[in-house]
């Protein structure tokens, strides 16, 4: 065998071994992160007769919770978004719930701001309250700790967003246009509410843009050498009842649904009751949104 052939084979062998070690390391780090992220809850919603079959492409729902969780405090769910995914329609309906929405807190026996459900009873009380509000099953949840979200942003090397409102918050100026933010800046950018004429709706838009940017950066080739930090950050700051196999099924069977993602806001009005501000949603608006979600999830009365 000629010398150059031997050298080539040796180099290829080294590359194969190195690639195998890299894949094993990635899988090991991913497994650790998923184990930390996984938070089981009830097996099936009381509003379903049988569990969703992702392998059979059943429509399903997800509650996204952005929680402002600080040391020594469970916190409140400042961002609540319901997603209804239908692979047959190849669409996703997303509804952002204003944090001050007045509703029954299921399990507490009171009417209060919907974001207080998390403070009273964590993820499960939030899910039960949202299920009651929309009269649909919530199959899965994804909770993101917004206080630690800066760790995730820094792990992916920062994010780029398009800002439509010139403002200063926390001593940082955010001009209109394309911005590249580090973790601390992204946290401030996603928190500002009072200076935005859209109030909570404006903050929700910024938080969604940060999350979308993180996903985009996390999927890029630039992050391949930094996967350890990314998985660690996710493990520290994200909780979900989705298992690894369910994530694989969603990736395989539902990715076409992301082609058509429709975002909805809840129309209502502010009102002060006993000195406390609430967002009041009229019954007709609630009924309209309930019907929208039921049709998307193919739920029949």
């Amino acid at each position: 065998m000629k010398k150059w052939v031997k050298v080539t084979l040796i180099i290829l062998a080294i590359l194969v071994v190195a690639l195998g070690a890299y894949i094993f390391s990635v899988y090991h780090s991913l497994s650790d992160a998923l184990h930390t992220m996984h938070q089981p809850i009830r097996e099936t919603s009381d509003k379903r007769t049988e569990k969703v079959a992702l392998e059979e492409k059943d429509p399903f729902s997800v509650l996204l919770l952005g929680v402002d969780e600080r040391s020594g405090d469970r916190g409140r769910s400042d961002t609540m978004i319901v997603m209804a995914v239908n692979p047959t329609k190849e669409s996703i309906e997303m509804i952002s719930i204003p944090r001050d929405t007045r509703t029954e807190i299921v399990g507490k026996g009171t009417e209060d701001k919907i974001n207080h459900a998390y403070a009273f009873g964590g993820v499960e009380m939030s899910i039960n309250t949202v299920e009651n509000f929309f009269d649909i099953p919530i199959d899965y949840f994804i909770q993101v700790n917004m206080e630690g979200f800066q760790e995730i942003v820094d792990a992916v090397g920062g994010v780029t967003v398009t800002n439509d409102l010139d403002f200063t918050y926390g001593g940082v100026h955010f001009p209109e246009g394309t911005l590249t933010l580090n973790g601390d800046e992204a946290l401030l950018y996603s928190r500002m509410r009072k200076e935005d004429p859209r109030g909570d709706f404006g903050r929700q838009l910024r938080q969604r843009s940060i999350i979308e940017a993180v996903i985009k950066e996390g999927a890029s080739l630039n992050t391949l050498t930094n996967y350890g930090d990314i998985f660690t950050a996710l493990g520290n700051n994200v909780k979900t009842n989705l298992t690894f196999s369910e994530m694989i099924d969603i990736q395989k069977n539902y990715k076409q649904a992301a082609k058509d993602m429709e975002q909805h806001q809840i129309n209502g009005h502010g009102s002060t009751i006993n000195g406390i501000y609430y967002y009041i949603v009229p019954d007709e608006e609630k009924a309209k949104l309930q019907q929208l979600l039921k049709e998307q999830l193919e739920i029949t009365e």
Side-chain angles (χ1 to χ4, degrees):
M1 185 180 294
K2 293 182 179 180
K3 185 176 181 179
W4 69 268
V5 175
K6 288 183 180 180
V7 172
T8 302
L9 290 175
I10 290 171
I11 292 173
L12 285 174
I14 292 171
L15 287 174
V16 169
V17 171
L19 181 61
Y22 175 80
I23 291 172
F24 175 79
S25 180
V26 170
Y27 178 77
H28 181 70
S29 296
L30 176 60
S31 297
D32 287 345
L34 291 175
H35 178 73
T36 305
M37 289 166 58
H38 190 245
Q39 181 178 319
I41 54 171
R42 80 280 165 95
E43 185 68 20
T44 306
S45 168
D46 291 339
K47 293 185 177 291
R48 283 202 184 276
T49 55
E50 57 186 39
K51 186 175 171 63
V52 167
L54 296 177
E55 66 277 6
E56 296 178 12
K57 300 185 179 182
D58 287 346
F60 69 90
S61 63
V62 182
L63 175 62
L64 302 178
L65 294 170
V67 178
D68 198 358
E69 196 173 59
R70 309 183 188 195
S71 179
D73 179 17
R74 175 184 276 172
R76 291 178 174 83
S77 51
D78 283 341
T79 300
M80 304 180 79
I81 302 172
V82 173
M83 297 175 59
V85 185
N86 189 310
T88 303
K89 295 181 178 181
E90 295 188 349
S91 65
I92 299 174
E93 300 289 353
M94 297 177 62
I95 299 179
S96 297
I97 309 173
R99 53 180 263 166
D100 295 325
T101 299
R102 183 176 171 88
T103 189
E104 177 188 352
I105 306 298
V106 176
K108 188 70 174 175
T110 60
E111 286 205 348
D112 206 332
K113 297 183 180 185
I114 197 165
N115 74 322
H116 288 186
Y118 184 85
F120 292 142
V123 169
E124 296 216 28
M125 189 171 286
S126 295
I127 289 174
N128 292 338
T129 298
V130 171
E131 283 188 331
N132 181 67
F133 185 80
F134 284 121
D135 193 28
I136 61 163
I138 296 295
D139 302 304
Y140 302 105
F141 81 91
I142 300 173
Q143 173 193 325
V144 179
N145 176 18
M146 300 308 293
E147 176 69 14
F149 200 67
Q150 55 191 326
E151 184 182 351
I152 300 175
V153 172
D154 285 333
V156 299
V159 294
T160 300
V161 297
T162 301
N163 182 31
D164 63 356
L165 178 70
D166 187 294
F167 66 93
T168 298
Y169 183 71
V172 179
H173 178 226
F174 298 95
E176 288 188 39
T178 301
L179 306 178
T180 299
L181 309 174
N182 63 26
D184 290 335
E185 293 165 341
L187 184 62
L188 291 171
Y189 181 78
S190 66
R191 271 191 173 161
M192 193 279 285
R193 177 170 63 110
K194 293 183 179 179
E195 293 180 31
D196 193 325
R198 298 164 297 186
D200 205 35
F201 293 116
R203 178 167 67 169
Q204 289 173 0
L205 287 171
R206 284 189 295 279
Q207 289 179 340
R208 284 203 299 268
S209 70
I210 292 288
I211 292 171
E212 289 170 3
V214 164
I215 293 171
K216 180 180 178 181
E217 292 293 337
S220 71
L221 291 175
N222 294 332
T223 62
L224 285 179
T225 58
N226 201 34
Y227 66 86
D229 290 343
I230 295 172
F231 291 157
T232 298
L234 289 173
N236 290 341
N237 297 291
V238 177
K239 298 294 181 185
T240 181
N241 61 328
L242 282 163
T243 64
F244 182 58
S245 62
E246 287 171 333
M247 293 180 191
I248 295 298
D249 283 335
I250 290 172
Q251 169 63 21
K252 181 172 62 176
N253 298 327
Y254 294 82
K255 59 185 177 182
Q256 296 301 317
K259 288 182 176 180
D260 182 10
M261 189 177 297
E262 189 73 24
Q263 299 186 20
H264 305 271
Q265 294 183 348
I266 299 179
N267 295 316
H269 63 275
S271 180
T272 300
I273 302 174
N274 297 326
I276 300 173
Y277 174 84
Y278 294 97
Y279 191 74
I280 307 299
V281 181
D283 289 341
E284 57 270 24
E285 172 72 2
K286 188 188 296 185
K288 182 184 75 174
L289 295 172
Q290 287 175 348
Q291 187 61 32
L292 171 75
L293 291 172
K294 287 178 181 179
E295 289 177 1
Q296 180 73 355
L297 295 172
E298 300 179 7
I299 295 173
T300 56
E301 298 291 346

